[in-house]
Amino acid sequence: MMQQTLARPVSCAGVGVHSGVRARLHLQAAPVDSGIVFQRTDVAPGTGRIRAHAACVSDTRLGTTLTNDHGVSVAVVEHLLAAIAGLGIDNLLVGIDGPEVPIMDGSSAVFYDMMMRAGLKTQGAPGRRIRVLEAVEVSDGSKRAALLPSDDDSLTLRARIEYTDQTIGVQQMALRLVPGQFARDLAFARTFGFARDVDMLRSMGLARGGSLDNAIVIDDAGIMNPGGLRVEDEFIRHKLLDAVGDLALAGAPIAGAYEAVQPGHSINNQLVRTLLDTPSAWCWESAAPTLSEAVQVKAAV
């Protein structure tokens, strides 16, 4: 109901899946109403602050990249943002000394676990959410995504993917993003790709830090990772994890229903931008109870 931040600072380090560059993350508490902010510590003073907002998205090729007015960027932010959203953190300062958030094991688990260990601190201001009032939808070929009104105060997600590769095939999943649900159902799901694409991606400057330690890799024989999948439908779970991170770039939790077919970072960003650019489709809403609601709750107890 009230805004939250981290109780104490935490750090981790690792390699970027695309750049191959090692970076260190330092997460610390941030003031009320400041939102999620990245701070590049390896650039000129005064140029490294980057808002975690859909308006700052500059690239969505195999990850979401944010860029500020100085041209300073931070890439592959979605797994960290998903963990932040999954924990219900409203305000956070993310220090990073490189151009890309470390991929860790390819999921959100490391980020989620270290923030859980740090603990959360309630702040002295009510939380806010974005209430979807009208349906908005975007499409791009076979890809489609929509945000729909809902009576729920949480975000409901429903998605379907279909690949010709039989290792993935057709998978679909629906869940309600309530406290604890992200950790149970999504946080552990890893990013994935195909061995046949690796040379092409590296020629484009991508996947230079990718390995079997930080991604599920599929070849003609199936899963290349020695340990296989963590769950049979890990692929659709990771797509929903990505969606949680991309939707967090609306700037606040969304109360509504997300539905998608063949979702990806580009279509997710288009969807959030379309929502925010349509004033009649959403409104700000306090997550804290009104005085009358609080009295009713107290009376019920």
Side-chain angles (χ1 to χ4, degrees):
M1 294 300 184
M2 304 298 285
Q3 292 184 34
Q4 296 187 114
T5 189
L6 274 188
R8 62 180 180 86
V10 287
S11 299
C12 68
V15 68
V17 67
H18 291 312
S19 65
V21 175
R22 187 171 178 81
R24 183 173 182 82
L25 282 178
H26 182 74
L27 313 182
Q28 64 185 68
V32 161
D33 293 332
S34 60
I36 312 302
V37 176
F38 289 85
Q39 178 68 51
R40 285 280 301 273
T41 60
D42 59 325
V43 298
T47 67
R49 182 181 174 86
I50 309 168
R51 281 196 312 147
H53 194 275
C56 298
V57 173
S58 58
D59 195 350
T60 53
R61 292 179 304 160
L62 301 180
T64 297
T65 298
L66 303 172
T67 303
N68 65 16
D69 292 339
H70 299 284
V72 176
S73 299
V74 60
V76 192
V77 298
E78 62 274 8
H79 299 169
L80 174 60
L81 290 177
I84 293 168
L87 280 163
I89 293 174
D90 301 282
N91 306 300
L92 192 67
L93 180 61
V94 182
I96 181 169
D97 63 359
E100 183 179 345
V101 174
I103 192 63
M104 310 313 288
D105 71 343
S107 75
S108 292
V110 172
F111 303 135
Y112 189 95
D113 291 345
M114 74 177 188
M115 287 187 285
M116 276 291 289
R117 289 195 299 271
L120 304 183
K121 179 173 68 175
T122 300
Q123 298 178 286
R128 294 199 305 170
R129 56 179 167 246
I130 292 172
R131 168 72 62 182
V132 178
L133 302 175
E134 299 174 2
V136 293
E137 182 174 345
V138 294
S139 61
D140 182 8
S142 63
K143 299 179 179 181
R144 182 185 70 82
L147 280 167
L148 309 171
S150 168
D151 293 333
D152 203 332
D153 291 337
S154 301
L155 176 66
T156 301
L157 301 108
R158 180 179 292 105
R160 173 186 171 93
I161 56 174
E162 185 171 349
Y163 285 74
T164 55
D165 189 292
Q166 291 306 303
T167 301
I168 302 177
V170 177
Q171 296 188 358
Q172 55 190 359
M173 186 177 185
L175 63 82
R176 181 170 172 254
L177 198 65
V178 294
Q181 197 77 43
F182 181 82
R184 288 192 298 269
D185 290 338
L186 302 182
F188 60 83
R190 296 164 293 172
T191 191
F192 59 93
F194 295 92
R196 61 176 177 266
D197 296 333
V198 170
D199 289 342
M200 176 193 68
L201 291 173
R202 288 181 174 167
S203 72
M204 297 167 59
L206 301 170
R208 292 180 175 178
S211 73
L212 296 178
D213 293 327
N214 55 38
I216 303 168
V217 182
I218 304 160
D219 65 8
D220 293 338
I223 305 296
M224 295 179 63
N225 304 64
L229 297 175
R230 292 174 175 173
V231 290
E232 185 177 359
D233 59 351
E234 191 169 358
F235 304 106
I236 186 62
R237 290 174 188 266
H238 186 79
K239 286 293 188 179
L240 288 180
L241 182 158
D242 279 345
V244 172
D246 289 337
L247 294 178
L249 292 170
I254 294 175
Y258 166 85
E259 296 184 357
V261 177
Q262 301 294 88
H265 300 299
S266 178
I267 200 91
N268 289 339
N269 183 245
Q270 291 177 49
L271 180 63
V272 173
R273 285 174 180 256
T274 299
L275 176 71
L276 298 180
D277 289 343
T278 309
S280 63
W282 65 281
C283 69
W284 286 111
E285 185 176 85
S286 175
T290 64
L291 178 59
S292 62
E293 289 172 335
V295 170
Q296 291 172 9
V297 171
K298 185 176 181 180
V301 172

